[in-house]
mmCIF file of all heavy atoms in Angstrom:
data_model
loop_
_atom_site.group_PDB
_atom_site.id
_atom_site.type_symbol
_atom_site.label_atom_id
_atom_site.label_comp_id
_atom_site.label_asym_id
_atom_site.label_seq_id
_atom_site.Cartn_x
_atom_site.Cartn_y
_atom_site.Cartn_z
ATOM 1 N N GLY A 115 -1.297 3.140 3.316
ATOM 2 C CA GLY A 115 -1.215 2.210 4.429
ATOM 3 C C GLY A 115 -0.760 2.850 5.706
ATOM 4 O O GLY A 115 -1.426 2.764 6.756
ATOM 5 N N ALA A 119 -2.888 3.254 9.149
ATOM 6 C CA ALA A 119 -2.472 2.602 10.352
ATOM 7 C C ALA A 119 -2.398 3.688 11.464
ATOM 8 O O ALA A 119 -2.775 3.358 12.639
ATOM 9 C CB ALA A 119 -1.014 2.137 10.233
ATOM 10 N N ILE A 127 -6.165 0.972 19.059
ATOM 11 C CA ILE A 127 -5.229 0.361 19.952
ATOM 12 C C ILE A 127 -5.583 0.749 21.418
ATOM 13 O O ILE A 127 -5.534 -0.130 22.285
ATOM 14 C CB ILE A 127 -3.773 0.767 19.597
ATOM 15 C CG1 ILE A 127 -3.413 0.129 18.289
ATOM 16 C CG2 ILE A 127 -2.801 0.458 20.717
ATOM 17 C CD1 ILE A 127 -2.060 0.514 17.722
ATOM 18 N N TYR A 139 -0.451 -7.607 20.082
ATOM 19 C CA TYR A 139 -1.479 -8.126 19.277
ATOM 20 C C TYR A 139 -2.303 -7.035 18.534
ATOM 21 O O TYR A 139 -2.536 -7.116 17.350
ATOM 22 C CB TYR A 139 -2.467 -8.991 20.069
ATOM 23 C CG TYR A 139 -3.726 -9.434 19.385
ATOM 24 C CD1 TYR A 139 -3.697 -10.500 18.513
ATOM 25 C CD2 TYR A 139 -4.869 -8.763 19.516
ATOM 26 C CE1 TYR A 139 -4.823 -10.892 17.854
ATOM 27 C CE2 TYR A 139 -6.041 -9.110 18.889
ATOM 28 C CZ TYR A 139 -6.028 -10.192 18.037
ATOM 29 O OH TYR A 139 -7.136 -10.572 17.330
ATOM 30 N N SER A 140 -2.663 -6.007 19.282
ATOM 31 C CA SER A 140 -3.438 -4.899 18.682
ATOM 32 C C SER A 140 -2.598 -4.178 17.595
ATOM 33 O O SER A 140 -3.159 -3.905 16.512
ATOM 34 C CB SER A 140 -3.756 -3.877 19.792
ATOM 35 O OG SER A 140 -4.476 -4.475 20.812
ATOM 36 N N ALA A 141 -1.344 -4.026 17.842
ATOM 37 C CA ALA A 141 -0.480 -3.339 16.876
ATOM 38 C C ALA A 141 -0.360 -4.277 15.581
ATOM 39 O O ALA A 141 -0.349 -3.732 14.412
ATOM 40 C CB ALA A 141 0.926 -3.084 17.396
ATOM 41 N N SER A 142 -0.283 -5.563 15.788
ATOM 42 C CA SER A 142 -0.209 -6.472 14.638
ATOM 43 C C SER A 142 -1.461 -6.435 13.767
ATOM 44 O O SER A 142 -1.406 -6.371 12.539
ATOM 45 C CB SER A 142 0.002 -7.936 15.122
ATOM 46 O OG SER A 142 1.161 -8.019 15.916
ATOM 47 N N VAL A 143 -2.657 -6.429 14.449
ATOM 48 C CA VAL A 143 -3.898 -6.415 13.693
ATOM 49 C C VAL A 143 -4.055 -5.123 12.934
ATOM 50 O O VAL A 143 -4.423 -5.106 11.734
ATOM 51 C CB VAL A 143 -5.076 -6.614 14.648
ATOM 52 C CG1 VAL A 143 -6.434 -6.331 13.962
ATOM 53 C CG2 VAL A 143 -5.035 -7.995 15.194
ATOM 54 N N VAL A 144 -3.727 -3.987 13.572
ATOM 55 C CA VAL A 144 -3.884 -2.692 12.875
ATOM 56 C C VAL A 144 -2.880 -2.563 11.705
ATOM 57 O O VAL A 144 -3.266 -2.105 10.621
ATOM 58 C CB VAL A 144 -3.706 -1.538 13.877
ATOM 59 C CG1 VAL A 144 -3.584 -0.251 13.157
ATOM 60 C CG2 VAL A 144 -4.854 -1.512 14.880
ATOM 61 N N GLY A 145 -1.614 -3.009 11.916
ATOM 62 C CA GLY A 145 -0.616 -2.916 10.841
ATOM 63 C C GLY A 145 -0.982 -3.792 9.636
ATOM 64 O O GLY A 145 -0.829 -3.339 8.488
ATOM 65 N N ALA A 146 -1.533 -5.015 9.942
ATOM 66 C CA ALA A 146 -1.956 -5.870 8.810
ATOM 67 C C ALA A 146 -3.204 -5.327 8.115
ATOM 68 O O ALA A 146 -3.324 -5.368 6.913
ATOM 69 C CB ALA A 146 -2.240 -7.288 9.382
ATOM 70 N N ALA A 147 -4.139 -4.795 8.921
ATOM 71 C CA ALA A 147 -5.376 -4.293 8.366
ATOM 72 C C ALA A 147 -5.106 -3.110 7.429
ATOM 73 O O ALA A 147 -5.764 -2.998 6.326
ATOM 74 C CB ALA A 147 -6.352 -3.889 9.426
ATOM 75 N N ALA A 148 -4.183 -2.270 7.774
ATOM 76 C CA ALA A 148 -3.832 -1.087 6.945
ATOM 77 C C ALA A 148 -3.246 -1.465 5.622
ATOM 78 O O ALA A 148 -3.234 -0.677 4.697
ATOM 79 C CB ALA A 148 -2.897 -0.114 7.726
ATOM 80 N N ALA A 149 -2.668 -2.695 5.515
ATOM 81 C CA ALA A 149 -2.081 -3.127 4.232
ATOM 82 C C ALA A 149 -3.162 -3.356 3.145
ATOM 83 O O ALA A 149 -2.774 -3.367 1.957
ATOM 84 C CB ALA A 149 -1.337 -4.454 4.486
ATOM 85 N N THR A 150 -4.404 -3.472 3.566
ATOM 86 C CA THR A 150 -5.487 -3.601 2.499
ATOM 87 C C THR A 150 -5.611 -2.308 1.687
ATOM 88 O O THR A 150 -6.188 -2.355 0.568
ATOM 89 C CB THR A 150 -6.785 -3.953 3.153
ATOM 90 O OG1 THR A 150 -7.230 -2.914 4.029
ATOM 91 C CG2 THR A 150 -6.674 -5.272 3.903
ATOM 92 N N LEU A 190 -7.974 -11.747 6.808
ATOM 93 C CA LEU A 190 -7.309 -11.314 8.062
ATOM 94 C C LEU A 190 -8.234 -11.420 9.258
ATOM 95 O O LEU A 190 -7.818 -11.694 10.370
ATOM 96 C CB LEU A 190 -6.901 -9.833 7.910
ATOM 97 C CG LEU A 190 -5.692 -9.549 7.002
ATOM 98 C CD1 LEU A 190 -5.486 -8.034 6.788
ATOM 99 C CD2 LEU A 190 -4.433 -10.202 7.542
ATOM 100 N N ALA A 372 1.753 -5.369 -0.161
ATOM 101 C CA ALA A 372 0.887 -5.340 1.046
ATOM 102 C C ALA A 372 1.429 -6.281 2.148
ATOM 103 O O ALA A 372 1.423 -5.960 3.320
ATOM 104 C CB ALA A 372 -0.553 -5.729 0.684
ATOM 105 N N GLN A 375 4.300 -4.772 3.936
ATOM 106 C CA GLN A 375 4.007 -3.665 4.833
ATOM 107 C C GLN A 375 3.876 -4.020 6.301
ATOM 108 O O GLN A 375 3.872 -3.163 7.150
ATOM 109 C CB GLN A 375 2.758 -2.880 4.361
ATOM 110 C CG GLN A 375 3.007 -2.060 3.072
ATOM 111 C CD GLN A 375 1.839 -1.148 2.760
ATOM 112 O OE1 GLN A 375 0.704 -1.442 3.045
ATOM 113 N NE2 GLN A 375 2.121 0.002 2.121
ATOM 114 N N PHE A 376 3.627 -5.313 6.553
ATOM 115 C CA PHE A 376 3.623 -5.724 7.943
ATOM 116 C C PHE A 376 4.468 -7.016 8.207
ATOM 117 O O PHE A 376 4.198 -7.757 9.074
ATOM 118 C CB PHE A 376 2.134 -5.925 8.435
ATOM 119 C CG PHE A 376 1.399 -7.084 7.755
ATOM 120 C CD1 PHE A 376 1.232 -8.282 8.386
ATOM 121 C CD2 PHE A 376 0.823 -6.897 6.480
ATOM 122 C CE1 PHE A 376 0.564 -9.315 7.764
ATOM 123 C CE2 PHE A 376 0.101 -7.914 5.863
ATOM 124 C CZ PHE A 376 -0.036 -9.134 6.549
ATOM 125 N N VAL A 382 6.450 -0.829 7.261
ATOM 126 C CA VAL A 382 6.103 0.582 7.509
ATOM 127 C C VAL A 382 4.805 0.671 8.323
ATOM 128 O O VAL A 382 4.691 1.449 9.266
ATOM 129 C CB VAL A 382 5.978 1.360 6.192
ATOM 130 C CG1 VAL A 382 7.361 1.597 5.574
ATOM 131 C CG2 VAL A 382 5.083 0.637 5.225
ATOM 132 N N ASN A 383 3.820 -0.171 7.960
ATOM 133 C CA ASN A 383 2.572 -0.093 8.725
ATOM 134 C C ASN A 383 2.727 -0.559 10.161
ATOM 135 O O ASN A 383 2.243 0.038 11.100
ATOM 136 C CB ASN A 383 1.491 -1.011 8.132
ATOM 137 C CG ASN A 383 1.064 -0.464 6.756
ATOM 138 O OD1 ASN A 383 1.429 0.625 6.343
ATOM 139 N ND2 ASN A 383 0.199 -1.255 6.065
ATOM 140 N N LEU A 384 3.555 -1.626 10.316
ATOM 141 C CA LEU A 384 3.770 -2.160 11.676
ATOM 142 C C LEU A 384 4.578 -1.197 12.492
ATOM 143 O O LEU A 384 4.398 -1.082 13.772
ATOM 144 C CB LEU A 384 4.477 -3.504 11.550
ATOM 145 C CG LEU A 384 4.314 -4.492 12.710
ATOM 146 C CD1 LEU A 384 2.859 -4.800 12.914
ATOM 147 C CD2 LEU A 384 5.028 -5.824 12.328
ATOM 148 N N MET A 385 5.522 -0.471 11.865
ATOM 149 C CA MET A 385 6.254 0.531 12.645
ATOM 150 C C MET A 385 5.328 1.624 13.195
ATOM 151 O O MET A 385 5.506 2.050 14.333
ATOM 152 C CB MET A 385 7.325 1.150 11.742
ATOM 153 C CG MET A 385 8.505 0.294 11.394
ATOM 154 S SD MET A 385 9.717 1.128 10.322
ATOM 155 C CE MET A 385 10.951 -0.166 10.193
ATOM 156 N N VAL A 386 4.380 2.060 12.389
ATOM 157 C CA VAL A 386 3.473 3.082 12.837
ATOM 158 C C VAL A 386 2.584 2.567 13.941
ATOM 159 O O VAL A 386 2.458 3.248 15.006
ATOM 160 C CB VAL A 386 2.582 3.570 11.653
ATOM 161 C CG1 VAL A 386 1.454 4.488 12.122
ATOM 162 C CG2 VAL A 386 3.391 4.234 10.610
ATOM 163 N N SER A 387 1.988 1.381 13.828
ATOM 164 C CA SER A 387 1.106 0.827 14.850
ATOM 165 C C SER A 387 1.878 0.525 16.142
ATOM 166 O O SER A 387 1.357 0.687 17.252
ATOM 167 C CB SER A 387 0.372 -0.376 14.355
ATOM 168 O OG SER A 387 1.222 -1.407 13.961
ATOM 169 N N CYS A 388 3.128 -0.010 16.008
ATOM 170 C CA CYS A 388 3.950 -0.283 17.164
ATOM 171 C C CYS A 388 4.307 0.981 17.937
ATOM 172 O O CYS A 388 4.410 0.976 19.148
ATOM 173 C CB CYS A 388 5.208 -1.028 16.793
ATOM 174 S SG CYS A 388 4.902 -2.773 16.415
ATOM 175 N N LEU A 405 -1.275 -13.761 10.441
ATOM 176 C CA LEU A 405 -1.888 -12.842 9.496
ATOM 177 C C LEU A 405 -1.212 -12.892 8.165
ATOM 178 O O LEU A 405 -1.867 -12.721 7.126
ATOM 179 C CB LEU A 405 -1.785 -11.423 10.102
ATOM 180 C CG LEU A 405 -2.467 -11.254 11.468
ATOM 181 C CD1 LEU A 405 -2.114 -9.897 12.076
ATOM 182 C CD2 LEU A 405 -3.948 -11.424 11.374
#
Side-chain angles (χ1 to χ4, degrees):
I127 290 176
Y139 168 82
S140 303
S142 302
V143 170
V144 170
T150 62
L190 289 173
Q375 287 191 330
F376 64 101
V382 288
N383 292 356
L384 206 55
M385 286 181 180
V386 172
S387 60
C388 284
L405 303 171

